[in-house]
């Protein structure tokens, strides 16, 4: 026992975690693993903040109080902004992308290490400005920030927009870093079609990060100018459809298709727990590329029912329905990997099931929203908002937690308690569906997505949903507590618990600073 | 879920669109649910059936994809996607092209108010529609963007400033149906028209006739005041003596007016009628002849009401508009 803990201390001292300590040691670090851990801390903090904000409408649903409408709109606005811009888009590339890309490619670090640090700093600056705008004077326009409303709202909207500019720049820099690292950081003998699927997912999503980040950064600046002068591209005289179009075609690809890196992560993970390589490697790569293309081609589907003309609605309906094809291929390949595998029922496997369920529901809801006659009825209802929740809370969260439970021993060198993690997974999956199904039904009943507070006639649905959220919160609390506790009280982790063949499992847990130097 | 009451998903069928929209939803929902249960069910089954047992090798062979199964799976997916696109296409095209004989109601919204303007010119603050004929809603906003949804009709549409959007439906049963409207904003509270009332055609006709009769229960001067607001006179003619695009209505009646070409005339009933029907016959000095004619919009009785209103605003002498200039 003494011996193990002693060698664990040695392992820690020799690893990337044992480098220069203190705030400055971490702040100045350009090591991809440290950047990933800092991304984990910042995204987790942002998500907890969004969860706290969501408590207010939650308490209202459960009968805990009656809040002023003005306060509710502000709370809901910032909750969504933090969740989408500060968590949903950067979390998978920021945490698992930065940690795994060099390790899986056999590289010492990202190709552009200073850019890794800059991505993180821009993200943090953006997040702090977003929170500053909330403290100075919050806005209540909803997270889509309609241009006419934006001209009228009091509040520190300019501060928020500059924050969003920094976040978008951070996405773009991350994307550039991923693409360059894949092209120049690979081991010499590793071809494009030898790369692990996680790398493929991050690489493909990297292009979307560059596209959306660059465009949205510009859009945010134009909006700042219009806000100050009330003229210009998004000014008072402008057609409100101009802002809606720019906003959705820049944000929708990167937000609604934040599942692409999740597909890569889950593909590696399912291979890992099944102890075999995927039988449909090239199909999965092709599916992820197709999803990235369709992410851009289908972006206008968000405008159906929001003033888009009927002809364009049909075009975007068509491209949106094409998403079914890569989604079906991915599902089939995963099932084929599991079939006759040698499967370890670990917490990662339960979170992977959660991803399959939630992403499947999100794709199915996307099919309903893309069907022409239904889309114009459901497109701006709570149904559409619940679909975003299934992607965000369901898909991206499940992919993150599955990935963390799969690679956590490699990241910190300690094992968590599997039973507690399983409990967290079950609470999270059951709670989330209890929370979201009533909202889906309220949506088909016609309740609009921007309904504020309790809608009369739907008290029972709101209460079931509120109870579901409480279960989700407790599940996430158990999960996070278990992971954190493992850092102090976990057993030392093995080098390769899965018998996996990808390169990150060849280095010690946790890896040394140069990854493959030792 | 299959045995669950279907009405949990949608409000009642109260328009001709409802059956079509709901059927497409149920078809896609049930097929999608079966595929989802199949996929997740198989994943769970495989995870338990192919659990790692002692003696299993470190790595098992990759295996392959079953080509026939994959082909069938993809054909099924393409068929489902094609159905999702085609099934609602006819309904969708129908919903974008209102029939020629639609009963058109112009809806204008601004902060705190929704105006529903009926074809006869009557403007109400509640939406009433006749059943059994197509109703066309032409929507526009004077300030910010909003949404208008009438779920029982299965319609919802954006209400945008600077644009007119359209939606139409044909109510089939009389009743009161909820409307959801408004916007996500912390400062601009909307007074929500919470319900749409559908009336049978005779009921609707008698309601509109009664509501449109602006003379019922009003004195002539009150009718004149109503018309002053409803016809937009307000925009150019003030009530406090201040000079806008046209002369103020304060102390106008009974006084002398001078035209741009030097004629002088006393403002009486005949003068007012001429000014309303052919405004450019006598343009008052200091103003331009920009007033539109109200010929065909105001009948003799309404003009009498306006005269009565002007009379009530005037002191018939002393300080006239001439001295004000």
């Amino acid at each position: 026992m003494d011996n193990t803990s002693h060698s664990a201390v040695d392992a820690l001292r020799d690893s990337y975690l044992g480098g220069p300590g203190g705030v400055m040691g971490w702040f100045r670090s350009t090591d991809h693993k440290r950047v990933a851990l800092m991304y984990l801390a910042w995204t987790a903090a942002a998500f907890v903040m969004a969860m706290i904000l969501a408590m207010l409408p939650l308490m209202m649903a459960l009968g805990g109080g009656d809040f002023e409408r003005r306060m509710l709109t502000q709370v809901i606005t910032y909750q969504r902004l933090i969740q989408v811009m500060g968590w949903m888009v950067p979390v998978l590339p920021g945490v698992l992308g930065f940690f795994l890309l060099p390790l899986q490619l056999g590289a010492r670090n990202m190709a552009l290490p200073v850019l890794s640090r800059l991505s993180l700093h821009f993200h943090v600056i953006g997040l702090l400005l977003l929170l500053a705008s909330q403290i100075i004077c919050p806005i209540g326009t909803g997270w889509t920030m309609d241009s006419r409303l934006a001209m009228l709202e009091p509040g520190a909207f300019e501060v928020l927009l500059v924050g969003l500019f920094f976040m978008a720049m951070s996405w773009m820099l991350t994307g550039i870093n991923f693409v360059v690292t894949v092209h120049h950081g690979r081991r010499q003998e590793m071809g494009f079609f030898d790369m692990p699927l996680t790398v493929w997912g991050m690489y493909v999503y990297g292009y979307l990060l560059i596209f959306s980040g660059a465009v949205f950064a510009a859009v945010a600046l134009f909006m700042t100018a219009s806000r100050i002068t009330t003229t210009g591209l998004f000014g008072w005289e402008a057609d409100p459809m101009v802002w809606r179009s720019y906003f959705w075609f820049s944000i929708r690809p990167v937000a609604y298709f934040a599942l692409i890196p999740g597909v890569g992560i889950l593909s590696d993970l399912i291979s890992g727990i099944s102890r075999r390589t995927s039988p449909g490697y090239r199909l999965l790569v092709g599916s992820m590329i197709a999803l990235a293309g369709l992410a851009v081609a289908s972006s206008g589907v968000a405008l159906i029912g929001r003033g888009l003309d009927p002809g364009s609605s049909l075009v975007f309906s068509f491209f949106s329905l094409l998403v079914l094809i890569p989604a079906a291929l991915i599902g089939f390949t995963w099932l084929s990997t599991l079939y006759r595998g040698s499967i370890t029922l670990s917490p990662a496997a339960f979170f992977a099931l959660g991803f399959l369920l939630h992403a499947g529901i999100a794709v199915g809801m996307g099919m309903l929203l893309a069907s022409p006659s239904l889309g114009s009825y459901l497109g701006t209802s709570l149904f559409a908002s619940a679909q975003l929740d299934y992607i965000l809370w369901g898909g991206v969260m499940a992919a993150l937690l599955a990935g963390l439970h799969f690679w956590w021993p490699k990241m910190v060198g300690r094992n968590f308690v599997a039973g507690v993690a399983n409990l967290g997974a079950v609470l999270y999956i059951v709670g989330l569906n209890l929370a979201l199904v009533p909202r889906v039904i309220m949506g088909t009943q016609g309740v609009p997505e921007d309904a504020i507070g309790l809608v009369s006639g739907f008290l029972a649905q709101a209460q079931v949903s509120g109870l579901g959220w409480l279960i989700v919160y407790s599940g996430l609390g158990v999960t996070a507590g278990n992971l954190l506790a493992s850092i102090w009280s976990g057993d030392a982790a093995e080098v390769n618990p899965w018998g996996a063949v990808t390169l990150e499992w060849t280095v010690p847990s946790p890896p040394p600073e140069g990854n493959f130097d030792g | 879920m299959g045995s669950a009451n279907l009405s949990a998903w949608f409000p009642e069928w109260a328009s001709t669109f409802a059956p079509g929209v709901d059927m497409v939803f149920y078809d896609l929902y049930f097929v999608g649910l079966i595929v989802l249960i199949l996929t997740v069910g198989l994943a769970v089954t495989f995870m338990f059936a192919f659990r790692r047992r002692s003696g299993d090798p470190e790595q098992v062979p990759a295996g392959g994809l079953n080509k026939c199964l994959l082909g069938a799976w993809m054909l099924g997916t393409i068929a489902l996607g094609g159905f999702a696109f085609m099934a609602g296409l006819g309904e969708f095209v129908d919903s974008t092209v209102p029939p020629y004989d639609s009963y058109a109601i112009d809806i204008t919204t601004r902060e705190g108010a929704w105006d529903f303007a009926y074809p006869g010119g009557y403007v109400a603050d509640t939406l009433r529609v006749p059943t059994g004929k197509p109703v066309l809603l032409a929507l526009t906003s004077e300030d910010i963007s909003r949404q208008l949804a009438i779920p029982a009709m299965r319609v919802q549409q954006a209400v945008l400033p600077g644009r007119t959007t359209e939606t139409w439906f044909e109510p089939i049963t009389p009743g009161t149906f909820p409307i959801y409207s408004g916007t996500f904003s912390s400062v601009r509270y909307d007074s929500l028209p919470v319900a749409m009332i559908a009336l049978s055609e005779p009921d609707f006709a008698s309601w509109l006739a009664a509501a449109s009769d602006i003379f019922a229960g009003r004195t002539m001067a009150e009718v004149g005041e109503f018309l002053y607001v409803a016809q937009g006179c307000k925009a150019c003619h003030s009530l406090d003596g201040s000079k806008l695009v046209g002369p103020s209505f304060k102390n106008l009646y009974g006084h002398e007016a001078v035209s741009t070409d030097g004629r002088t005339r006393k403002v009486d009933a005949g003068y007012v009628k001429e000014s309303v029907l052919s405004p450019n016959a006598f343009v008052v000095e200091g103003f331009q002849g920009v007033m539109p004619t109200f010929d065909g919009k105001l009948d003799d009785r309404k003009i009498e009401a306006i005269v009565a209103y002007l009379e009530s605003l005037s002191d018939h002498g002393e300080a006239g508009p001439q001295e004000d200039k």
Side-chain angles (χ1 to χ4, degrees), chain A residues 41 87 93 110 161-162 205 274 285 308 311 316 375 416 483 493:
Chain A
W87 185 83
M110 299 295 288
L161 284 169
V162 174
Y205 191 61
S274 313
V285 171
L308 192 67
F316 291 118
F416 49 82
L483 288 180

Side-chain angles (χ1 to χ4, degrees), chain B residues 2-3 15 34 36 46 70 96 126 153 162 202 222 232 280 301 311:
Chain B
S3 64
S15 88
I34 290 167
L36 186 71
F46 289 169
L70 178 61
T96 61
T126 49
M153 303 293 130
E222 281 168 356
N280 290 334
R301 202 163 162 221
E311 257 187 281

Side-chain angles (χ1 to χ4, degrees), chain A residues 91-411:
Chain A
V91 71
L92 291 178
V95 179
L96 294 169
F98 273 116
F99 191 84
L100 290 172
L101 220 60
L103 280 170
Q104 292 198 328
L105 290 170
R108 298 186 78 245
N109 202 345
M110 299 295 288
L112 306 166
V114 178
L115 224 54
S116 314
R117 189 175 61 186
L118 200 59
S119 287
L120 176 71
H121 289 178
F122 275 13
H123 172 73
V124 173
I125 291 170
L127 192 66
L128 293 178
L129 283 172
L130 195 153
L131 297 177
S133 86
Q134 195 185 5
I135 292 164
I136 298 167
C137 181
I139 62 156
T141 58
W143 75 283
T144 55
M145 303 172 285
D146 213 64
S147 58
R148 281 275 177 127
L149 271 180
M151 297 298 116
L152 290 168
E153 275 279 325
F157 193 34
E158 295 86 349
V159 178
L160 171 67
L161 284 169
V162 174
L164 294 178
F165 168 81
F166 274 103
M167 284 192 182
M169 291 299 284
S170 158
W171 305 345
M172 189 183 79
L173 297 181
T174 305
I176 291 171
N177 210 349
F178 282 11
V179 170
V180 176
T181 303
V182 164
H183 280 268
H184 295 288
R186 271 174 297 138
R187 281 219 171 145
Q188 215 127 52
E189 66 274 16
M190 188 186 273
F192 256 83
F193 286 96
D194 302 322
M195 296 194 306
L197 286 157
T198 304
V199 175
W200 266 110
M202 296 296 168
Y203 174 63
V204 169
Y205 191 61
Y207 284 102
L208 287 184
L209 284 172
I210 295 172
F211 166 78
S212 284
V215 178
F216 190 65
V219 168
L221 280 190
F222 270 91
M223 182 52 130
T224 315
S226 288
R227 161 81 177 182
I228 293 168
T229 63
T230 74
T231 57
L233 189 57
F234 306 124
W236 186 253
E237 297 301 322
D239 187 337
M241 289 306 292
V242 177
W243 166 259
R244 290 184 178 198
S245 306
Y246 276 87
F247 178 83
W248 283 108
F249 92 68
S250 55
I251 288 297
R252 196 177 187 279
V254 84
Y256 283 63
F257 288 78
L259 295 177
I260 293 173
V263 169
I265 290 162
L266 267 287
S267 300
D268 270 356
L269 190 153
I270 288 172
S271 288
I273 60 169
S274 313
R275 307 232 169 203
R276 69 203 306 205
T277 54
S278 174
Y281 176 87
R282 285 187 185 229
L283 277 183
L284 285 170
V285 171
S287 298
M288 286 192 281
I289 294 172
L291 281 177
L294 290 171
V296 177
S298 72
S299 58
V301 81
L303 291 167
I304 295 179
R306 288 192 175 91
L308 192 67
D309 63 286
S312 309
S313 300
L314 285 181
V315 171
F316 291 118
S317 277
F318 177 78
F319 283 114
S320 194
L321 283 168
L322 286 182
V323 169
L324 287 175
I325 294 173
L329 275 175
I330 291 164
F332 188 89
T333 314
W334 286 351
L335 286 180
S336 304
T337 312
L338 291 172
Y339 180 68
R340 296 200 168 168
S342 173
I343 300 163
T344 311
L345 280 177
S346 68
F350 288 114
F351 281 112
L353 278 178
F355 182 88
L356 193 63
L357 176 67
H358 300 148
I361 292 174
V363 170
M365 289 174 83
M367 170 180 76
L368 291 164
L369 286 167
S371 179
S373 65
L374 276 174
S376 51
Y377 172 61
L378 294 176
T380 59
S381 71
L382 261 189
F383 190 91
S385 161
Q387 192 218 10
L388 179 59
D389 276 328
Y390 261 114
I391 297 171
L392 192 155
W393 285 86
V396 176
M397 179 60 94
L400 175 73
L401 292 178
L404 278 182
H405 282 85
F406 191 69
W407 282 288
W408 189 254
K410 182 61 63 189
M411 292 173 92

